[in-house]
Structures are given as structure tokens and as C-alpha cells.
Amino acid sequence: MHEFYNKTVEQVMQNLNTSPKGLQKDQIKKLREEQGYNELAEHKRKSSLQVFLEQFKDFLVLILITAAIISAFLGKAESTLVIMVVVIINALLGTAQHKKAEQSLNSLKALSSPTAKVLRNGQKVEIPSRELLVGDIIYLDAGDYISADGRILETYSLQVDESSLTGESESILKTTDCIEGNHIAIGDRKNMVFSGSFVTYGRAIVISTAIGMNTEIGKIANLLENAKEKKTPLQSNLDAFGKKLAVVVLIISAFVFGVNLFQGQALAESFMFAVSLAVAAIPEALSSIVTIVLALGTQKLAKQNAIVRKLHAVESLGSISVICSDKTGTLTQNKMTVQKLYVNDKIIDNNHLDINNQLEKKLIQMALLCNDAITAKNKEIGDPTEIALVNLGDIYGWDEQKLREAFPRIDEIPFDSDRKLMSTLHEIAGKKILITKGALDVMLHRVTSIQNDIGTTSITEEDKKTIEQVNFDLSKNGLRILAFSYKEFDEERNLDVTDEKDLIFIGLIAMMDPPRLESAQAVASCIQAGIKPVMITGDHKITAASIAKQIGILLDDSEAMEGYELDSLSDEELKETVERISVYARVSPEHKIRIVQAWQERGNVVAMTGDGVNDAPALKQADIGIAMGITGTEVAKDAASMVLTDDNFSTIIKAISNGRSIYENIKNSIKFLMSGNMGGILAVLYASISGLPVPFAPVHLLFINLLTDSLPAIAIGLEPHNESIMKEKPRGINNSIINKTFAIEVLVEGLLIAISTITAFILGLNTGNELVASTMAFSTLCLSRLFHGFNSKSRESIFKVGIFTNRILWFSVILGNLLLLLVLSFEPLAKIFEVASLSINQFLIVYGFSLIPLILVQMYKLVFIKSNK
């Protein structure tokens, strides 16, 4: 594809076969067939029905459906109904989560203007923007959205907001000059305009060079479509766990079925054993519980200015090992602020000006007079650099509008990119004063005098060298410099550019978008938690490096890289280099995706922050994309997993801390569910091998799994936040929940529950009533699992962390007890759940055996587990 920024206007017109009269009627039809329409393509998306049906592909779900079918054949209609209700509810939840968010392309399309003013057949006409063609001559005015990429033919002080593409909020002053070189960053292509950007000032005539998917925003749309959303570590862990569990369940169920047949039991009875085992092993409510815990976690994060759009991102926060952050507005205040002034041969901080000093006072006054920005009723209108000058005046009590009324503007020479100067003429103390501001390199050639406390003297070469050195020192610290000078006229006159000479130099004003006050502390917390902070920005390297050093991201200049340097690296070379680079400047959307992918290929969980359209593909590619709520575009918000309502980097650190706690709590919830299920499995296995009757009906196990287990599991997921968790390193992306320690704890705790349950079952069989024995086994399993919630709430004993720190857990255990008593005592429910009434002695036996696992585990933790405090 052609690059047009390094071609002259004549070459561009010739390459695109366009005349000064625009496209002709016979050209338009042919070009339409070749190019199509100026719109963004979109891949076909899955219907809700397709997504819903895909939820049934999970192997564990298929086992449950099989169990429901077998129960139906055996006349157990209640069990079939309960199992299918559970399966359908989980499928509906999964569908809702999947269909919740893919509006990114719709938001991208909304960035295009509905109409465009073009020259066709020598006539200026307005057409729908989708009908634009490459070669169209387009007229742009202030307030227009730009609908196609184009090369500028003529410009009249055109300034364009390209923040949707570059991420930098300052408007770009455009030019018609040919730009030499290749691989020029978008932000430096000052003779081009881009689809999706916005004209803030001036007007221009441009020729369309790309439309639709070939524009820069089209490339972003393509990246967005192709960027893959990665599964969170928890999703991957649960998927792997589900597959392993399914295999184990099938093997054990088949074994039990075979053993029962071998022992001479009826086929139906053998099937019921196998079905009971399958239902006991599968934690039916697990996905729903994890979803609920994550959803409740999002509410807590929302109170801390972090809105989570994709639920599983809550857990991913705890795994983050790299944060790739935008600079402007996230690490900085997104507000140009005067930092230093050079006047009277000295550098002064912005808060140390002496208004009683006539020269310093004069510099501020001139900065406010040669200025078009205003601030009124908490609104700031104008160029960010000029607003910074007005805000400096506010600090010292100068109202720019009153000052301008006192010394009205008689005439002006507007700023343009060729002169790099702006001049205004005022009447001050009876004299006509020309005030000029602009780039120092241009102004110094027009200055003949310099003013300081001694007076006004001719400027020497030594003076110029001193000023240039000050300018260099300030610039290398990332500051943007404006030079100020003036001259007096004896009489009123009409200004022209020839008047900008024989000027008296008065001083320099240096400004920058400063770091947020809390950014340095947030970066320090990030590093302490074992997380690598990386700055990625469209700004210049020198500015980015300066900010990064101030907040602790950059330690050495060798850790900074520009986009063109990144282009020279292969993916493999970038993967080897990425670990030592902390700052990337002048980057494109493609660069951002490559950086994220390089970190991911090294086994890291990557967070990416951004606010512009240019950030959207990388936000989607990252493990967790974080968009800015205040300055962020809708495209960025749609592609992100989380939105910051305060655009603050420190909020990310708080969210990570919460994410780590939530993950730890979810892990404890899963352990609680699995150890309880293990108790049920071992009890059924023992009964099968020993030739005992089936201890549970499938509906018993579903009652436990869905009702009495679910509430404590959710409560454990809401265990209070542990502050010390941010002193730990991030867990590895491949660290499985089900490790050796976890498996041993599940097995041992499950064995204790099984022993209590089977003992109660045998005591019940001694009464000669199988239904009573089954009810005692069911009740003991149910209660021991409820009480086991106190074992699972933390690694340490409840006597060390506090017995009453989690009131929701107490509530859930009490409610579970009441539900069980209701089932046992209310006859219609007793019939549905296949239970018998128990005597007082039998109740005492059940409660006694149910408390044994809790007592034994707490004794072990009290003696052998050391406190983390």
C-alpha cells in the first residue's frame, strides 16, 4: 500500500488519478466497483441460541444430563427435574455472560461522520460518508468529523484532535509539507488526516487516500476482530479441573456399577449406585457460586472506582504480573501545567514567582494577553498550552478576561506552523505593545534586545547561548517551552509578519502534563507486589522518559524504546527484549498488541490500560483490559474488561489487591465444595464395596450440593480482605488450583466427613429400617459439610483469625440447619426428598458425628499451622 506523507501534492494527485475538479462521473462508477463503500466490515456473530446450546458441550454437564435420563428411566422423576433445572440455569448464566459485551465495532462505526463535503465534477456537494472514494477531494471545517484518511492539499491553520488514534489529547497543527523518511509514526504525519479524528480549528482541503478497512481506524477494527480474548487463569484452571473430574467420575461410576453387578445386585439398583456417585462427585453449583462471588466482588470494586464489565476479570486481577499503562491521564493529570519560568537570568518554580518584581509580573501579563484561552464557570476553553498559562495567572490572582478588557487587543497575527509564532497588539500605559510568543529557535533570530532587572540591553551571542542551554535543559526533562518577547510601536498600525523582528526577549515558560500526585506511590506498591509497570504512549520519548523517571517506572534511559526501534525487532527478538524495556514512545496500535503478546508468551498475565480507539485491540488482547471512564472512548470501554471511573493508576493497584483476595476466597470455596463432595464419594464407594445398600438417593446429594453447600461456599467467597496479600508475588499463570497440597487436604477432610457419615449410616441400618439409615447418612453428610465451612474459611484456625469475622458464614450455617430440619419435619418435602422422621436420640447421633470433622481439623490447625500475621 502507498504511503502518501512522503509524496508531494502533485505526486499524490497523479498517483490517485484525480484532477483539480475532483472525481468525474465516469470514474465514480468504476471506483465504486473496485473499492466498495467507506464502511467497516464485521464478522458474523453467533446467535443467542448457538451460544446457549454451546453451554451443553461441557463434559460434566453431559454426565449430569445422562444421570437425569437414567433417573427418569428408573422412575425417579424428582431427581430428573432437579438435575435438569440446575443444568438449564447454568446454561442461561453462561449465555448471558457471553452475549453481554461485543459492541466495539458499533462504537467504531459511530466515529464516522454521516456526511462529507466533496468536490465532484467540478461542483462542491455533500454526500453520505459511506459513499466516499479514494481520490475524492474533501473540504474540512472546524467541528467536522473526518470520514476517510487523506493527504492535505491546502491548509488554513488546520488543527485536528487525533486522540482516538494516538491517545494524546493535544490537537495537531497540520501542514502541506512533504515529510521525508519511512515508518513515520501516525502522530508525526502532519500532512495527513485520519478517519475518526476531529477538526478542532481552521479548515483544509484534502484528498482521500484510504477508505473503509484500509484506513488507520479500519486497521484497528481488523486488529479488534482478530485480537483473541484469553481465558482467565481461573477459567483455565476450572476447565482443566472439570475435564479431569469427568474422567475420574466415569471411571469410579463404572467401577461401582461393575462391583454391584458382580455382587448380584439388580441392574436398576446398580445403576442407582452409579448415578448417586456421579451426582455426589460433580459440584453442580460450582460455576454459579464462582459467578456469584465474582459478581459480589465487582460491587466492592465499583465502590473503589473500578467498574468490571467482564466478570471473570475480577479473578484475573489477582494474577497480574505486568501492567502496560498509557501515560496521559492515567499516570499524569491530563492537564498541561506550568512548571518552570526563565526570567531575569534565572529559573523559577511556578509557585515561587514574585509579583512585586516588575519583570516577572510583565511575563505573566504578556502570557495572558497573547492568549486565546479562557476559563469561566469551571470550564476551560482553548488550547491546552494556553489554558496552562491562564491557570498560572489564576494562581497569582490575575483574571485573564479583566486583564484583556484593561488592555484590549488591537490586532493580531495568528499562530501558524511555518512561523511557529503568535503575535498580538495591545495598548498598555499609552504605548502600542506587540507581544510575541512561540518556539525559541525561531524567535531568537528575531530578537535584538534582552530585558532583565538592570534594564534593556542588546542581546549578545553569549546571552543567546545561555538561553539555548536553559531551553535544552528544560526540554530534556520533558517540558514544553514557549518563548516570550515584545516590542513597542510609536503609532497604531496594521500588523503583518514583517513586524515580528527587532524584538526584546523577556523570558521562557516551561510546562508539561505532570504526574498524578498518587502515581509514584501506586508504582512503588506495584513493584512491591512483584508487578512490572510499563509505560506505553504516543508521546515523544523524552517526555515519556521524564515522567517515567519521576514516578519510578524508568531507572535508566536504556529502558526506553521508540516505535520505529520496535519495528526493527522480530517477534522472537521482542520476546527476548521486552523484559528490560519499561517505556515505549511513539507507538502504533500494532506495536501495543505486539508488546502485550510478547509479555504473554513469557508466561505473564498482562493488564493494559488505555482510553483511545488506538488502544482497543490491545485492551482486548490483554488478559485484562482497563479503560478510562472519564477520557475513554466508547470503543475502548467496550473492548475492556474493566473501566476506571476516576482514570487513576492507583485504583488499578487497589483492584489488584481485591482481586488477589477474591481468588484466595474462591480457592477456599472450591476446597470446601470438593472436600464435601469427596465425603459423599467415599461414603458411596464404601457402601458399594461392603455390599451395603445405597446410602443416598440422588436427590439427597443435589439438596446438599445446591442448597446447604451453596450458601457457605458463597460466604467463604466473601471472607474479609487480607491486607498482607500485596506483599506476596503474583501467582504464576500455570499455577493450578488443584495442586498436591490442595488435593491432600480435600482427601483427608473428605475422609473425615465420610467416616462420620458411614458410621451414622451403619447405626441407622441397625434399626432395621433402610429409609431411617439413609436419612441419618444424608443428615450427617449435610451437617458435617455445613460445619466444615468454618474449616475452609482460612488456612489458619478460626481461633486465630477470629470466630465471628464472617457473619455471612454464620448466617448460612444456621440457615442450612433450618432447611434440613424443614425437609425432615414437613411431610410433603420429606416425600420429595425421600427421608424419614428421626427420633431425638438419632438427631443427637447425627449432630455428634457431624461435629467430629470440625473439631479434628481445628485442633490440627491450632497446633501445626503458623499465623501469617
Side-chain angles (χ1 to χ4, degrees), residues 663-732:
Y663 178 85
E664 197 62 30
N665 291 343
I666 286 174
K667 186 176 176 180
N668 289 336
S669 291
I670 292 170
K671 190 174 82 167
F672 165 75
L673 291 171
M674 293 312 303
S675 51
N677 282 11
M678 181 60 70
I681 292 168
L682 293 175
V684 172
L685 264 177
Y686 178 84
S688 174
I689 293 168
S690 303
L692 298 173
V694 183
F696 316 110
V699 75
H700 291 167
L701 298 165
L702 282 171
F703 175 85
I704 294 170
N705 285 359
L706 297 175
L707 294 177
T708 57
D709 263 11
S710 296
L711 293 173
I714 293 167
I716 292 166
L718 301 177
E719 186 70 17
H721 181 61
N722 180 2
E723 295 293 339
S724 65
I725 205 158
M726 282 302 278
K727 294 177 183 176
E728 300 171 9
K729 300 296 179 189
R731 68 181 186 278

Side-chain angles (χ1 to χ4, degrees), residues 340-395:
K340 306 274 186 185
L341 298 94
Y342 175 71
V343 60
N344 201 18
D345 301 327
K346 60 186 177 184
I347 296 173
I348 306 168
D349 286 335
N350 66 341
N351 54 353
H352 288 135
L353 278 171
D354 180 6
I355 294 302
N356 295 318
N357 181 290
Q358 290 304 308
L359 209 53
E360 294 175 28
K361 177 181 174 182
K362 182 186 281 189
L363 179 58
I364 294 181
Q365 286 183 333
M366 289 185 172
L368 297 178
L369 291 171
C370 188
N371 190 322
D372 292 324
I374 57 170
T375 58
K377 296 180 181 178
N378 297 321
K379 279 192 174 182
E380 297 178 337
I381 303 166
D383 181 83
T385 56
E386 293 195 326
I387 290 170
L389 298 174
V390 170
N391 288 335
L392 176 68
D394 286 342
I395 294 172

Side-chain angles (χ1 to χ4, degrees), residues 243-276:
K243 288 172 184 173
K244 290 174 186 175
L245 181 61
V247 172
V248 172
V249 167
L250 286 178
I251 291 171
I252 296 176
S253 295
F255 171 75
V256 168
F257 179 67
V259 168
N260 279 278
L261 283 178
F262 180 75
Q263 291 176 342
Q265 290 192 21
L267 183 65
E269 190 74 13
S270 300
F271 258 127
M272 283 313 296
F273 252 117
V275 168
S276 294

Side-chain angles (χ1 to χ4, degrees), residues 29-72:
K29 187 176 180 182
K30 183 183 176 186
L31 289 173
R32 176 73 64 222
E33 290 172 358
E34 292 173 2
Q35 300 174 13
Y37 285 94
N38 179 32
E39 55 192 6
L40 301 179
E42 184 175 4
H43 295 314
K44 189 177 178 183
R45 302 198 181 276
K46 293 176 183 176
S47 68
S48 296
L49 180 61
Q50 281 177 295
V51 175
F52 177 74
L53 293 174
E54 283 180 1
Q55 305 304 308
F56 296 96
K57 286 182 179 179
D58 188 278
F59 203 25
L60 287 176
V61 172
L62 292 175
I63 291 173
L64 281 177
I65 293 171
T66 304
I69 293 168
I70 292 169
S71 294

